[in-house]
Amino acid sequence: PALINIVGGGLAGAEAAWQAQRQGVRVCLFEMKPERFSPAHQSPLLGELVCSNSLRSEAPDSAIGLLKNELRRLGSLIMGAAAASRVPAGKALAVDRQAFARFITEALAEQPDVEIVRQEVTALNFSEPAVIATGPLTTDSMAESLRELTGREQLHFYDAISPIVFADSINHDIVFRASRYGAGDDYLNCPLTEADYQTFYQALTTAELMPLRTFEEARFFEGCLPIEVMAARGYQTLLFGPMKPVGLMDPHTGRQPFAVVQLRQENREGELYNLVGFQTRLKYGEQRRVLRLLPGLEQAEFARLGSVHRNTFIHSPGLLTRFLNFAARPQLFLGGQITGVEGYLESTAMGWLAGVNAARLARQQPLLSPPPETAMGALVRHITNTEVRDFQPMNVNFGLFPALPGRVPKKGRGAAYAQRALEALEAWLARL
Ligand code: FAD
Protein backbone atom coordinates (compact mmCIF):
# COMPACT_ATOMS: atom_id res chain seq x y z
CA PRO A 1 0.00 0.00 0.00
CA ALA A 2 0.92 3.67 -0.39
CA LEU A 3 2.71 5.42 2.48
CA ILE A 4 2.07 8.63 4.39
CA ASN A 5 4.09 10.31 7.14
CA ILE A 6 2.68 11.88 10.26
CA VAL A 7 4.74 14.07 12.56
CA GLY A 8 3.54 14.30 16.18
CA GLY A 9 1.80 11.55 18.16
CA GLY A 10 -0.47 13.83 20.20
CA LEU A 11 -4.24 13.85 19.95
CA ALA A 12 -4.30 15.01 16.34
CA GLY A 13 -1.41 12.88 15.07
CA ALA A 14 -2.77 9.73 16.72
CA GLU A 15 -6.23 10.32 15.25
CA ALA A 16 -4.70 11.05 11.84
CA ALA A 17 -2.67 7.82 11.93
CA TRP A 18 -5.70 5.76 12.94
CA GLN A 19 -7.89 7.17 10.19
CA ALA A 20 -5.18 6.89 7.56
CA GLN A 21 -4.58 3.18 8.22
CA ARG A 22 -8.35 2.65 8.09
CA GLN A 23 -8.25 4.18 4.62
CA GLY A 24 -5.79 1.46 3.59
CA VAL A 25 -2.40 3.20 3.58
CA ARG A 26 0.77 2.50 5.54
CA VAL A 27 1.62 5.13 8.13
CA CYS A 28 4.95 6.22 9.48
CA LEU A 29 4.21 8.13 12.71
CA PHE A 30 7.09 10.21 14.08
CA GLU A 31 6.96 11.16 17.75
CA MET A 32 9.94 12.75 19.48
CA LYS A 33 9.04 11.49 22.98
CA PRO A 34 10.69 10.03 25.03
CA GLU A 35 13.88 11.20 23.33
CA ARG A 36 12.72 14.77 23.79
CA PHE A 37 9.83 16.33 25.73
CA SER A 38 8.13 19.68 25.21
CA PRO A 39 7.92 21.82 28.38
CA ALA A 40 4.37 20.52 29.02
CA HIS A 41 4.65 16.83 28.05
CA GLN A 42 5.78 14.22 30.56
CA SER A 43 4.63 10.76 29.48
CA PRO A 44 6.22 8.62 26.77
CA LEU A 45 2.71 7.56 25.69
CA LEU A 46 0.94 8.85 22.59
CA GLY A 47 -2.21 10.96 22.99
CA GLU A 48 -1.04 12.62 26.19
CA LEU A 49 -3.38 15.19 27.76
CA VAL A 50 -1.07 18.00 28.82
CA CYS A 51 -3.40 19.69 31.27
CA SER A 52 -6.99 19.03 32.33
CA ASN A 53 -8.32 15.46 32.13
CA SER A 54 -11.70 16.81 30.99
CA LEU A 55 -12.81 16.74 27.36
CA ARG A 56 -15.57 19.20 28.37
CA SER A 57 -19.36 18.95 28.14
CA GLU A 58 -21.30 15.94 26.91
CA ALA A 59 -24.54 17.92 26.47
CA PRO A 60 -25.73 17.01 22.96
CA ASP A 61 -27.03 20.54 22.39
CA SER A 62 -23.67 22.19 23.16
CA ALA A 63 -21.17 22.76 20.37
CA ILE A 64 -18.51 20.64 22.08
CA GLY A 65 -21.07 17.88 22.79
CA LEU A 66 -22.02 17.93 19.13
CA LEU A 67 -18.37 17.68 18.08
CA LYS A 68 -18.06 14.59 20.30
CA ASN A 69 -21.07 12.98 18.64
CA GLU A 70 -19.69 13.72 15.21
CA LEU A 71 -16.31 12.26 16.10
CA ARG A 72 -18.00 9.14 17.49
CA ARG A 73 -19.97 8.77 14.28
CA LEU A 74 -16.72 9.15 12.30
CA GLY A 75 -15.01 6.30 14.15
CA SER A 76 -12.61 8.45 16.16
CA LEU A 77 -9.84 6.64 18.02
CA ILE A 78 -9.67 9.43 20.60
CA MET A 79 -13.38 9.12 21.40
CA GLY A 80 -12.93 5.34 21.64
CA ALA A 81 -10.12 5.87 24.12
CA ALA A 82 -12.29 8.30 26.11
CA ALA A 83 -15.13 5.77 26.32
CA ALA A 84 -12.72 3.13 27.58
CA SER A 85 -11.10 5.35 30.21
CA ARG A 86 -13.89 7.62 31.40
CA VAL A 87 -14.20 8.69 35.02
CA PRO A 88 -17.28 10.27 36.69
CA ALA A 89 -17.43 14.04 36.11
CA GLY A 90 -21.09 15.07 36.07
CA LYS A 91 -22.10 16.40 32.67
CA ALA A 92 -18.53 16.46 31.38
CA LEU A 93 -16.55 13.69 29.73
CA ALA A 94 -13.42 13.22 31.81
CA VAL A 95 -10.88 10.44 31.54
CA ASP A 96 -8.15 8.67 33.45
CA ARG A 97 -5.26 10.20 31.50
CA GLN A 98 -2.97 7.18 31.88
CA ALA A 99 -5.58 4.69 30.71
CA PHE A 100 -6.60 7.06 27.92
CA ALA A 101 -3.08 7.47 26.54
CA ARG A 102 -2.30 3.77 26.99
CA PHE A 103 -5.41 2.83 24.97
CA ILE A 104 -4.31 5.10 22.12
CA THR A 105 -0.69 3.93 22.18
CA GLU A 106 -1.62 0.24 22.20
CA ALA A 107 -4.29 0.59 19.54
CA LEU A 108 -1.78 2.15 17.15
CA ALA A 109 1.08 -0.21 18.07
CA GLU A 110 -1.14 -3.20 17.24
CA GLN A 111 -1.80 -2.01 13.69
CA PRO A 112 0.44 -3.82 11.19
CA ASP A 113 0.36 -0.84 8.85
CA VAL A 114 1.43 1.72 11.45
CA GLU A 115 5.09 2.16 12.26
CA ILE A 116 5.86 4.38 15.26
CA VAL A 117 9.26 6.04 14.98
CA ARG A 118 10.48 7.75 18.14
CA GLN A 119 12.39 10.60 16.58
CA GLU A 120 12.22 14.37 16.28
CA VAL A 121 11.54 15.64 12.76
CA THR A 122 13.09 18.99 11.89
CA ALA A 123 12.54 19.39 8.13
CA LEU A 124 9.62 19.12 5.73
CA ASN A 125 11.42 17.16 3.01
CA PHE A 126 8.99 14.26 2.60
CA SER A 127 8.51 12.62 -0.77
CA GLU A 128 5.13 11.14 0.25
CA PRO A 129 2.06 12.99 1.60
CA ALA A 130 2.66 14.13 5.16
CA VAL A 131 0.65 15.50 8.10
CA ILE A 132 2.34 17.89 10.51
CA ALA A 133 0.62 17.68 13.91
CA THR A 134 3.32 18.88 16.25
CA GLY A 135 0.96 20.92 18.42
CA PRO A 136 1.05 24.19 20.32
CA LEU A 137 4.55 23.51 21.63
CA THR A 138 6.13 22.51 18.31
CA THR A 139 9.93 22.32 18.50
CA ASP A 140 11.95 25.33 17.35
CA SER A 141 13.47 23.56 14.36
CA MET A 142 10.08 22.42 13.06
CA ALA A 143 8.67 25.91 13.68
CA GLU A 144 11.56 27.31 11.65
CA SER A 145 10.82 24.90 8.78
CA LEU A 146 7.17 25.93 8.83
CA ARG A 147 8.20 29.56 8.89
CA GLU A 148 10.33 29.09 5.81
CA LEU A 149 7.34 27.55 4.08
CA THR A 150 4.73 30.08 5.15
CA GLY A 151 6.69 33.28 5.61
CA ARG A 152 7.77 34.90 8.85
CA GLU A 153 4.55 36.78 9.51
CA GLN A 154 2.35 33.71 9.25
CA LEU A 155 3.60 31.71 12.23
CA HIS A 156 2.64 32.80 15.72
CA PHE A 157 4.15 31.78 19.05
CA TYR A 158 1.67 33.42 21.40
CA ASP A 159 -2.02 33.97 21.20
CA ALA A 160 -3.31 37.15 22.74
CA ILE A 161 -7.02 36.54 22.74
CA SER A 162 -9.69 39.14 23.35
CA PRO A 163 -13.00 37.97 24.79
CA ILE A 164 -15.87 37.40 22.37
CA VAL A 165 -19.52 37.97 23.25
CA PHE A 166 -22.72 36.77 21.63
CA ALA A 167 -24.44 39.68 19.85
CA ASP A 168 -27.83 38.88 21.32
CA SER A 169 -26.50 39.22 24.85
CA ILE A 170 -25.39 42.84 24.28
CA ASN A 171 -27.76 45.60 25.47
CA HIS A 172 -28.39 47.43 22.21
CA ASP A 173 -30.26 50.22 24.04
CA ILE A 174 -26.93 51.30 25.56
CA VAL A 175 -24.24 50.51 22.99
CA PHE A 176 -24.17 52.61 19.83
CA ARG A 177 -22.98 51.83 16.33
CA ALA A 178 -20.18 54.02 14.91
CA SER A 179 -16.62 54.02 13.62
CA ARG A 180 -14.21 56.72 14.73
CA TYR A 181 -14.55 60.16 13.09
CA GLY A 182 -17.76 59.16 11.31
CA ALA A 183 -15.91 56.74 9.02
CA GLY A 184 -18.82 54.29 8.81
CA ASP A 185 -20.60 52.30 11.49
CA ASP A 186 -18.68 49.05 11.70
CA TYR A 187 -18.26 49.01 15.48
CA LEU A 188 -20.52 48.70 18.48
CA ASN A 189 -19.36 51.04 21.25
CA CYS A 190 -19.92 50.69 24.99
CA PRO A 191 -19.93 54.25 26.40
CA LEU A 192 -18.51 54.85 29.89
CA THR A 193 -18.98 57.87 32.13
CA GLU A 194 -16.11 58.85 34.41
CA ALA A 195 -17.85 57.06 37.29
CA ASP A 196 -18.27 53.90 35.16
CA TYR A 197 -14.58 54.05 34.27
CA GLN A 198 -13.55 54.40 37.90
CA THR A 199 -15.60 51.36 38.89
CA PHE A 200 -14.23 49.32 36.01
CA TYR A 201 -10.64 50.43 36.62
CA GLN A 202 -10.86 49.55 40.29
CA ALA A 203 -12.24 46.06 39.52
CA LEU A 204 -9.72 45.42 36.76
CA THR A 205 -6.66 46.34 38.75
CA THR A 206 -7.66 44.21 41.74
CA ALA A 207 -8.93 41.11 39.89
CA GLU A 208 -7.19 37.75 40.08
CA LEU A 209 -4.89 36.63 37.27
CA MET A 210 -4.42 33.23 35.71
CA PRO A 211 -1.16 31.68 36.90
CA LEU A 212 1.62 31.63 34.31
CA ARG A 213 2.67 28.18 33.19
CA THR A 214 6.19 27.34 34.29
CA PHE A 215 7.60 27.71 30.77
CA GLU A 216 5.85 30.99 30.05
CA GLU A 217 7.37 34.29 30.95
CA ALA A 218 5.42 37.39 31.78
CA ARG A 219 6.87 39.02 28.71
CA PHE A 220 4.35 40.46 26.32
CA PHE A 221 4.58 42.26 23.02
CA GLU A 222 4.04 45.99 23.38
CA GLY A 223 1.54 45.79 20.52
CA CYS A 224 -0.81 43.45 22.39
CA LEU A 225 -0.42 44.00 26.11
CA PRO A 226 -3.05 42.49 28.39
CA ILE A 227 -5.48 45.20 29.56
CA GLU A 228 -4.60 44.66 33.21
CA VAL A 229 -0.92 45.24 32.40
CA MET A 230 -1.82 48.51 30.66
CA ALA A 231 -4.07 49.50 33.56
CA ALA A 232 -1.29 48.83 36.05
CA ARG A 233 0.84 51.43 34.27
CA GLY A 234 -1.51 54.22 35.28
CA TYR A 235 -5.10 55.40 35.58
CA GLN A 236 -4.96 57.14 32.20
CA THR A 237 -3.18 54.48 30.13
CA LEU A 238 -6.30 52.67 28.89
CA LEU A 239 -7.88 56.04 27.98
CA PHE A 240 -5.08 56.52 25.45
CA GLY A 241 -5.16 52.86 24.42
CA PRO A 242 -8.06 50.49 23.69
CA MET A 243 -10.58 52.62 25.65
CA LYS A 244 -9.87 55.94 23.98
CA PRO A 245 -13.08 57.79 23.13
CA VAL A 246 -11.80 60.24 20.50
CA GLY A 247 -13.84 60.56 17.34
CA LEU A 248 -16.88 58.82 18.82
CA MET A 249 -20.13 60.61 19.63
CA ASP A 250 -22.79 58.87 21.71
CA PRO A 251 -26.12 59.60 19.98
CA HIS A 252 -27.97 59.13 23.28
CA THR A 253 -26.14 62.06 24.92
CA GLY A 254 -24.83 63.95 21.89
CA ARG A 255 -21.40 63.95 23.54
CA GLN A 256 -18.14 62.08 23.45
CA PRO A 257 -18.13 59.49 26.27
CA PHE A 258 -15.39 59.57 28.91
CA ALA A 259 -14.17 56.18 27.66
CA VAL A 260 -15.39 53.49 25.27
CA VAL A 261 -14.93 49.82 24.59
CA GLN A 262 -15.26 48.98 20.92
CA LEU A 263 -16.81 45.71 19.79
CA ARG A 264 -15.90 44.42 16.36
CA GLN A 265 -17.97 41.95 14.39
CA GLU A 266 -16.26 38.59 14.43
CA ASN A 267 -18.13 36.43 11.92
CA ARG A 268 -20.09 36.94 8.74
CA GLU A 269 -23.43 36.32 10.41
CA GLY A 270 -22.82 39.03 13.01
CA GLU A 271 -23.57 36.71 15.92
CA LEU A 272 -20.22 37.28 17.61
CA TYR A 273 -18.39 40.46 18.60
CA ASN A 274 -14.89 40.73 20.04
CA LEU A 275 -13.78 43.37 22.53
CA VAL A 276 -11.10 45.18 20.55
CA GLY A 277 -7.69 45.20 22.23
CA PHE A 278 -9.02 43.48 25.36
CA GLN A 279 -6.65 40.51 25.57
CA THR A 280 -6.36 39.60 29.21
CA ARG A 281 -4.96 37.10 31.67
CA LEU A 282 -7.67 37.54 34.30
CA LYS A 283 -9.13 34.30 35.61
CA TYR A 284 -12.23 33.28 33.67
CA GLY A 285 -14.68 33.99 36.49
CA GLU A 286 -13.02 37.34 37.07
CA GLN A 287 -13.32 38.24 33.38
CA ARG A 288 -17.05 37.63 33.44
CA ARG A 289 -17.43 39.71 36.60
CA VAL A 290 -15.22 42.62 35.51
CA LEU A 291 -16.37 42.85 31.89
CA ARG A 292 -20.04 42.79 32.89
CA LEU A 293 -19.37 46.12 34.64
CA LEU A 294 -19.10 47.70 31.18
CA PRO A 295 -22.27 49.55 30.13
CA GLY A 296 -24.09 47.41 27.58
CA LEU A 297 -22.39 44.20 28.64
CA GLU A 298 -24.22 43.70 31.97
CA GLN A 299 -25.79 40.47 30.70
CA ALA A 300 -23.02 39.50 28.27
CA GLU A 301 -22.63 35.83 27.40
CA PHE A 302 -19.13 34.93 26.32
CA ALA A 303 -18.40 32.69 23.35
CA ARG A 304 -14.73 32.83 24.29
CA LEU A 305 -12.86 34.40 27.17
CA GLY A 306 -9.57 36.20 26.84
CA SER A 307 -6.14 34.67 27.30
CA VAL A 308 -2.48 35.18 26.58
CA HIS A 309 -0.69 31.87 26.07
CA ARG A 310 2.28 30.27 24.47
CA ASN A 311 0.82 28.63 21.37
CA THR A 312 2.42 27.87 18.03
CA PHE A 313 -0.08 28.19 15.21
CA ILE A 314 -0.21 29.13 11.57
CA HIS A 315 -2.25 31.96 10.16
CA SER A 316 -4.24 29.36 8.25
CA PRO A 317 -6.67 31.57 6.28
CA GLY A 318 -5.20 31.97 2.81
CA LEU A 319 -2.57 29.25 3.39
CA LEU A 320 -4.59 26.10 4.05
CA THR A 321 -7.33 24.71 1.83
CA ARG A 322 -10.55 23.28 3.28
CA PHE A 323 -8.89 19.86 2.95
CA LEU A 324 -6.17 21.02 5.39
CA ASN A 325 -3.29 20.89 2.92
CA PHE A 326 -1.20 23.90 1.95
CA ALA A 327 -2.48 25.52 -1.22
CA ALA A 328 1.14 26.05 -2.28
CA ARG A 329 2.20 22.51 -1.35
CA PRO A 330 -0.70 20.09 -1.71
CA GLN A 331 1.24 17.03 -0.44
CA LEU A 332 1.68 18.69 2.96
CA PHE A 333 -1.21 18.69 5.47
CA LEU A 334 -1.55 20.31 8.88
CA GLY A 335 -3.49 18.71 11.73
CA GLY A 336 -4.36 19.64 15.29
CA GLN A 337 -3.97 22.80 17.27
CA ILE A 338 -1.29 24.22 14.97
CA THR A 339 -4.02 24.82 12.34
CA GLY A 340 -5.51 27.53 14.58
CA VAL A 341 -8.17 25.62 16.46
CA GLU A 342 -8.11 25.45 20.25
CA GLY A 343 -8.86 22.47 22.48
CA TYR A 344 -8.35 18.73 22.78
CA LEU A 345 -11.24 17.62 20.60
CA GLU A 346 -11.01 20.49 18.14
CA SER A 347 -7.39 19.40 17.61
CA THR A 348 -8.52 15.78 17.28
CA ALA A 349 -11.08 16.75 14.64
CA MET A 350 -8.44 18.57 12.59
CA GLY A 351 -6.26 15.45 12.91
CA TRP A 352 -9.09 13.26 11.64
CA LEU A 353 -9.52 15.33 8.51
CA ALA A 354 -5.80 15.72 7.76
CA GLY A 355 -5.23 11.97 8.20
CA VAL A 356 -8.14 10.97 5.99
CA ASN A 357 -7.13 13.42 3.27
CA ALA A 358 -3.42 12.59 3.30
CA ALA A 359 -4.40 8.93 2.85
CA ARG A 360 -6.83 9.78 0.08
CA LEU A 361 -4.17 11.83 -1.71
CA ALA A 362 -1.74 8.91 -1.44
CA ARG A 363 -4.42 6.67 -2.98
CA GLN A 364 -5.24 9.26 -5.64
CA GLN A 365 -8.78 9.70 -4.40
CA PRO A 366 -10.61 13.04 -4.26
CA LEU A 367 -10.15 14.95 -0.98
CA LEU A 368 -12.96 15.51 1.51
CA SER A 369 -14.25 18.47 3.50
CA PRO A 370 -17.14 18.16 5.97
CA PRO A 371 -20.28 20.27 5.45
CA PRO A 372 -20.13 23.71 7.11
CA GLU A 373 -23.27 22.91 9.15
CA THR A 374 -21.31 20.31 11.12
CA ALA A 375 -19.08 21.21 14.07
CA MET A 376 -16.09 19.86 12.20
CA GLY A 377 -17.02 21.84 9.10
CA ALA A 378 -17.54 24.99 11.17
CA LEU A 379 -14.00 24.66 12.53
CA VAL A 380 -12.62 24.19 9.02
CA ARG A 381 -14.54 27.26 7.95
CA HIS A 382 -13.06 29.27 10.83
CA ILE A 383 -9.47 28.41 9.96
CA THR A 384 -9.92 28.96 6.23
CA ASN A 385 -12.12 32.07 6.36
CA THR A 386 -10.11 34.83 4.71
CA GLU A 387 -12.67 37.48 5.68
CA VAL A 388 -11.71 37.43 9.37
CA ARG A 389 -9.38 40.35 10.01
CA ASP A 390 -7.87 39.29 13.28
CA PHE A 391 -7.48 35.52 13.07
CA GLN A 392 -7.15 33.84 16.46
CA PRO A 393 -7.49 30.23 17.59
CA MET A 394 -10.98 29.25 18.73
CA ASN A 395 -12.80 26.53 20.56
CA VAL A 396 -15.82 25.19 18.74
CA ASN A 397 -18.94 27.31 19.39
CA PHE A 398 -22.23 27.88 17.60
CA GLY A 399 -21.15 31.37 16.56
CA LEU A 400 -18.90 29.68 13.98
CA PHE A 401 -21.83 27.88 12.35
CA PRO A 402 -23.92 29.22 9.47
CA ALA A 403 -26.95 30.97 10.99
CA LEU A 404 -30.11 28.94 11.44
CA PRO A 405 -32.90 29.83 9.04
CA GLY A 406 -35.66 31.91 10.66
CA ARG A 407 -35.84 32.85 14.32
CA VAL A 408 -35.25 30.01 16.73
CA PRO A 409 -35.83 30.79 20.42
CA LYS A 410 -32.57 30.88 22.34
CA LYS A 411 -33.49 27.88 24.46
CA GLY A 412 -33.86 25.52 21.51
CA ARG A 413 -31.03 26.89 19.42
CA GLY A 414 -28.30 24.46 20.47
CA ALA A 415 -30.56 21.50 19.77
CA ALA A 416 -31.48 22.97 16.36
CA TYR A 417 -27.82 23.46 15.41
CA ALA A 418 -27.03 19.93 16.56
CA GLN A 419 -29.91 18.34 14.70
CA ARG A 420 -29.04 20.16 11.49
CA ALA A 421 -25.39 19.17 11.88
CA LEU A 422 -26.04 15.48 12.42
CA GLU A 423 -28.41 15.38 9.45
CA ALA A 424 -25.81 17.11 7.27
CA LEU A 425 -23.19 14.64 8.48
CA GLU A 426 -25.37 11.64 7.61
CA ALA A 427 -26.16 13.05 4.17
CA TRP A 428 -22.45 13.68 3.59
CA LEU A 429 -21.49 10.16 4.66
CA ALA A 430 -24.22 8.68 2.47
CA ARG A 431 -22.84 10.59 -0.54
CA LEU A 432 -19.32 9.25 0.04
P1 FAD B 1 -0.16 17.76 21.10
O1 FAD B 1 -1.17 16.95 21.82
O2 FAD B 1 0.70 18.69 21.84
O3 FAD B 1 0.76 16.74 20.30
C1 FAD B 1 1.91 17.13 19.59
C2 FAD B 1 2.91 15.99 19.65
O4 FAD B 1 3.96 16.26 18.72
C3 FAD B 1 3.54 15.81 21.00
O5 FAD B 1 3.46 14.46 21.40
C4 FAD B 1 5.00 16.26 20.78
O6 FAD B 1 5.91 15.52 21.59
C5 FAD B 1 5.20 15.97 19.31
N1 FAD B 1 6.19 16.81 18.62
C6 FAD B 1 6.32 18.16 18.69
N2 FAD B 1 7.27 18.59 17.84
C7 FAD B 1 7.77 17.47 17.22
C8 FAD B 1 8.79 17.26 16.24
N3 FAD B 1 9.48 18.26 15.72
N4 FAD B 1 9.04 15.97 15.84
C9 FAD B 1 8.35 14.92 16.36
N5 FAD B 1 7.39 15.08 17.31
C10 FAD B 1 7.09 16.33 17.71
N6 FAD B 1 -6.91 22.04 25.51
C11 FAD B 1 -8.01 21.61 26.20
O7 FAD B 1 -9.04 21.33 25.59
N7 FAD B 1 -7.99 21.51 27.55
C12 FAD B 1 -6.88 21.79 28.26
O8 FAD B 1 -6.89 21.68 29.49
C13 FAD B 1 -5.70 22.24 27.58
N8 FAD B 1 -4.58 22.54 28.26
C14 FAD B 1 -3.45 22.91 27.59
C15 FAD B 1 -2.28 23.16 28.32
C16 FAD B 1 -1.10 23.52 27.66
C17 FAD B 1 0.13 23.75 28.45
C18 FAD B 1 -1.12 23.68 26.26
C19 FAD B 1 0.12 24.08 25.53
C20 FAD B 1 -2.28 23.44 25.53
C21 FAD B 1 -3.45 23.05 26.17
N9 FAD B 1 -4.64 22.79 25.49
C22 FAD B 1 -5.76 22.36 26.16
C23 FAD B 1 -4.72 23.04 24.04
C24 FAD B 1 -4.67 21.83 23.09
O9 FAD B 1 -5.95 21.32 22.98
C25 FAD B 1 -3.75 20.72 23.47
O10 FAD B 1 -2.46 21.24 23.47
C26 FAD B 1 -3.83 19.51 22.50
O11 FAD B 1 -3.05 18.51 23.05
C27 FAD B 1 -3.37 19.79 21.09
O12 FAD B 1 -3.34 18.59 20.34
P2 FAD B 1 -2.25 18.39 19.20
O13 FAD B 1 -2.35 16.96 18.77
O14 FAD B 1 -2.39 19.42 18.18
O15 FAD B 1 -0.84 18.63 19.93
Side-chain angles (χ1 to χ4, degrees), residues 102-114:
R102 208 176 314 113
F103 183 100
I104 294 166
T105 310
E106 284 169 8
L108 286 170
E110 279 166 14
Q111 295 310 311
D113 284 336
V114 178

Side-chain angles (χ1 to χ4, degrees), residues 8 10-12 31-32 41 51-52 121 134-136 139 213 337 343-344 347:
L11 298 174
E31 167 53 58
M32 67 177 183
H41 289 83
C51 187
S52 165
V121 175
T134 46
T139 52
R213 295 169 182 150
Q337 177 123 338
Y344 291 151
S347 299

Side-chain angles (χ1 to χ4, degrees), residues 226-248:
I227 45 167
E228 64 279 3
V229 174
M230 273 184 265
R233 290 183 175 181
Y235 182 74
Q236 301 269 345
T237 309
L238 286 169
L239 298 173
F240 292 98
M243 297 185 76
K244 67 171 179 272
V246 293
L248 290 166

Side-chain angles (χ1 to χ4, degrees), residues 174-376:
I174 294 181
V175 300
F176 64 95
R177 203 169 253 295
S179 298
R180 270 184 224 286
Y181 303 112
D185 59 358
D186 284 350
Y187 291 84
L188 295 178
N189 302 278
C190 305
L192 285 85
T193 62
E194 186 162 4
D196 295 333
Y197 182 76
Q198 269 170 9
T199 309
F200 174 73
Y201 183 83
Q202 173 66 21
L204 177 62
T205 47
T206 52
E208 257 189 281
L209 295 179
M210 257 183 286
L212 277 180
R213 295 169 182 150
T214 48
F215 55 91
E216 291 177 328
E217 301 165 52
R219 204 184 51 190
F220 306 109
F221 301 112
E222 277 299 311
C224 54
L225 288 177
I227 45 167
E228 64 279 3
V229 174
M230 273 184 265
R233 290 183 175 181
Y235 182 74
Q236 301 269 345
T237 309
L238 286 169
L239 298 173
F240 292 98
M243 297 185 76
K244 67 171 179 272
V246 293
L248 290 166
M249 203 62 80
D250 184 349
H252 302 119
T253 62
R255 276 181 296 153
Q256 179 176 300
F258 183 78
V260 295
V261 175
Q262 291 207 293
L263 308 177
R264 185 197 289 138
Q265 188 171 330
E266 177 72 24
N267 65 338
R268 245 171 298 186
E269 283 74 23
E271 287 164 345
L272 300 176
Y273 278 81
N274 72 61
L275 279 68
V276 179
F278 260 55
Q279 53 275 359
T280 171
R281 281 188 44 242
L282 295 196
K283 283 191 169 170
Y284 283 173
E286 293 284 83
Q287 287 189 41
R288 290 192 193 92
R289 178 177 70 81
V290 173
L291 297 174
R292 283 179 186 150
L293 295 171
L294 294 168
L297 299 188
E298 296 85 355
Q299 311 280 334
E301 292 295 334
F302 294 88
R304 186 181 72 183
L305 287 157
S307 63
V308 181
H309 274 153
R310 167 112 183 256
N311 185 18
T312 311
F313 68 98
I314 299 275
H315 188 100
S316 293
L319 291 175
L320 286 191
T321 73
R322 65 197 169 94
F323 311 116
L324 300 190
N325 54 351
F326 283 95
R329 195 157 154 201
Q331 292 249 76
L332 192 64
F333 293 78
L334 274 194
Q337 177 123 338
I338 201 166
T339 62
V341 296
E342 169 77 35
Y344 291 151
L345 292 180
E346 290 85 342
S347 299
T348 300
M350 295 305 101
W352 187 97
L353 187 60
V356 165
N357 276 335
R360 291 179 71 92
L361 187 70
R363 303 188 66 202
Q364 296 172 356
Q365 293 171 326
L367 304 188
L368 306 179
S369 195
E373 294 83 10
T374 60
M376 204 191 259

